[in-house]
Amino acid sequence: METEFSWASLSYTGSFYDMENNYEDVERASFGFLPVTRTSVTDTEESITHELRLLSRGDGPWNWIVGLYHDDFDSNLLSTQVEVSDPNDPNWMPGAFEGFEAAVLGGPESFKETAIFGELGYDFNEQWSVLVGGRFFDWEVFNNAELTFFGTNFNQTSGTVGSDDSFFKVQLEFRPTDDMMLYITRSEGFRFGGFNPFVGLEGITEDVLRFDPDVLVNYELGFKSVLLDNRLIVNAAIYQADWEDVQVVVRAAPPSPWAYTTNAGELESDGFE
């Protein structure tokens, strides 16, 4: 949806996503004394996204964008293993473990983000221009997963984590001709933090209850061109990416079979394309 004014255009983009998936299978159990397991997996997801933008339409050297963004994603991935009889097993004792829930894994989880963003650009002349942008946002993650084995729920902690932050972008462009552009950019991005809900299992201790967002700071020097009457496109860039508080999945010390997410140190990546 879009509305035009003499000085700006206002646009709204929204989306809605709803999915439900059910899967069921019968297989040999891994618990030894429970010969047959029916595994049922139910996966439901719902996502609602809104974005409102106001974009300048002036003919002067200044141009700008301001906007609001909101995203709400809810999911419930639940896997249940229930013991059933096996008519093909002559050693099966009818009704011995019929209907017993050997394992239940999963549960509700949600991700929410609300942001205010904007960009301001200025054309010094037909060749040189600069762009400055920013994003101010608040995020939240809720988790109430279940991890139950043989009647015991090992999920010791559930709840909500979140914070607010701000990121910025700066870009300088130089156009020596109408078909060629050189640019240098600094930009930032992030990934949601969260927590490990199964604290208390073997090898997963209180100090790894939460993990922080990881942040990527990118520097890029690039070249774009359209040559030979639009028949040849030549683009190239060199970049450096600084990755802070890298989220990694770590397997607990043997003999524990469990794993958890935590923040590692920093990584640096340099490249050319």
Side-chain angles (χ1 to χ4, degrees):
M1 183 176 66
E2 187 170 348
T3 301
E4 300 289 342
F5 304 101
S6 60
W7 51 278
S9 62
L10 179 66
S11 64
Y12 166 79
T13 302
S15 65
F16 174 76
Y17 168 76
D18 188 18
M19 184 273 291
E20 181 174 343
N21 181 44
N22 295 293
Y23 168 79
E24 189 171 285
D25 192 18
V26 177
E27 59 186 353
R28 288 282 170 176
S30 60
F31 304 113
F33 62 91
L34 299 177
V36 183
T37 300
R38 171 176 282 119
T39 300
S40 300
V41 179
T42 301
D43 185 8
T44 61
E45 296 180 356
E46 182 178 294
S47 176
I48 302 176
T49 303
H50 306 279
E51 183 174 281
L52 188 67
R53 288 189 175 213
L54 187 64
L55 174 65
S56 65
R57 298 183 60 195
D59 297 329
W62 294 98
N63 57 85
W64 48 265
I65 299 174
V66 293
L68 299 173
Y69 174 85
H70 178 75
D71 182 35
D72 191 339
F73 176 79
D74 299 299
S75 69
N76 191 350
L77 178 58
L78 188 64
S79 175
T80 305
Q81 290 185 334
V82 178
E83 301 315 311
V84 295
S85 61
D86 186 357
N88 298 316
D89 187 349
N91 298 318
W92 177 261
M93 294 184 298
F97 300 104
E98 188 78 32
F100 176 71
E101 287 191 349
V104 181
L105 175 63
E109 187 174 28
S110 67
F111 301 84
K112 296 182 181 180
E113 181 186 1
T114 301
I116 302 174
F117 62 89
E119 291 183 351
L120 178 63
Y122 182 75
D123 298 327
F124 296 100
N125 50 46
E126 293 184 354
Q127 293 182 316
W128 290 94
S129 63
V130 65
L131 175 70
V132 178
R135 184 180 183 90
F136 309 89
F137 61 94
D138 181 272
W139 65 272
E140 179 181 282
V141 175
F142 168 79
N143 186 293
N144 190 26
E146 177 182 355
L147 179 60
T148 298
F149 281 109
F150 298 95
T152 301
N153 184 4
F154 290 92
N155 180 7
Q156 303 298 319
T157 306
S158 62
T160 303
V161 294
S163 69
D164 54 72
D165 210 335
S166 58
F167 289 139
F168 299 95
K169 173 184 177 180
V170 179
Q171 180 167 303
L172 180 66
E173 296 181 1
F174 172 59
R175 300 178 181 270
T177 69
D178 292 338
D179 301 325
M180 189 179 301
M181 180 186 72
L182 292 90
Y183 65 92
I184 183 170
T185 303
R186 181 196 183 275
S187 58
E188 297 175 298
F190 96 114
R191 182 167 50 174
F192 282 28
F195 59 91
N196 297 293
F198 307 129
V199 167
L201 289 175
E202 184 180 9
I204 304 182
T205 55
E206 291 286 345
D207 60 313
V208 296
L209 173 61
R210 290 179 172 82
F211 57 91
D212 296 326
D214 48 358
V215 177
L216 185 69
V217 182
N218 185 65
Y219 303 89
E220 185 173 327
L221 177 64
F223 168 83
K224 295 184 178 182
S225 65
V226 180
L227 307 173
L228 302 178
D229 294 327
N230 295 327
R231 291 179 294 173
L232 177 64
I233 297 176
V234 179
N235 298 331
I238 57 175
Y239 63 87
Q240 175 181 310
D242 295 331
W243 195 359
E244 302 174 0
D245 295 326
V246 181
Q247 292 179 15
V248 293
V249 177
V250 178
R251 184 169 295 277
S256 173
W258 310 109
Y260 58 91
T261 302
T262 188
N263 295 100
E266 299 181 358
L267 291 177
E268 182 178 302
S269 175
D270 304 303
F272 169 81
E273 60 183 17

